[in-house]
Amino acid sequence: MNGIAFAASLVLFVGGIALFAYAFETPGFETAMFVAGIFAIVAAIAIPFHALKRT
């Protein structure tokens, strides 16, 4: 479970950064992609805090 959660949070974090980068190159969807990037990074940070057990 720890490895899966780590991989998911890493993919979400990198994907969120990519959404930030591509947000300014897509006409008409800038705001939606930027907000999706924010949500992806928030989810990437929330997974380790809430899903993983404390040891």
Side-chain angles (χ1 to χ4, degrees), residues 5-6 8-10 12-13 38-54:
F6 173 75
S9 63
L10 183 65
L12 281 172
F13 189 78
I38 290 174
F39 284 145
I41 290 181
V42 166
I45 294 172
I47 287 173
F49 280 115
H50 297 290
L52 299 177
K53 295 181 181 178
R54 294 188 173 104

Side-chain angles (χ1 to χ4, degrees), residues 17-38:
I17 291 174
L19 283 171
F20 284 156
Y22 289 122
F24 299 104
E25 297 180 4
T26 55
F29 295 106
E30 298 95 353
T31 305
M33 286 186 70
F34 193 81
V35 170
I38 290 174

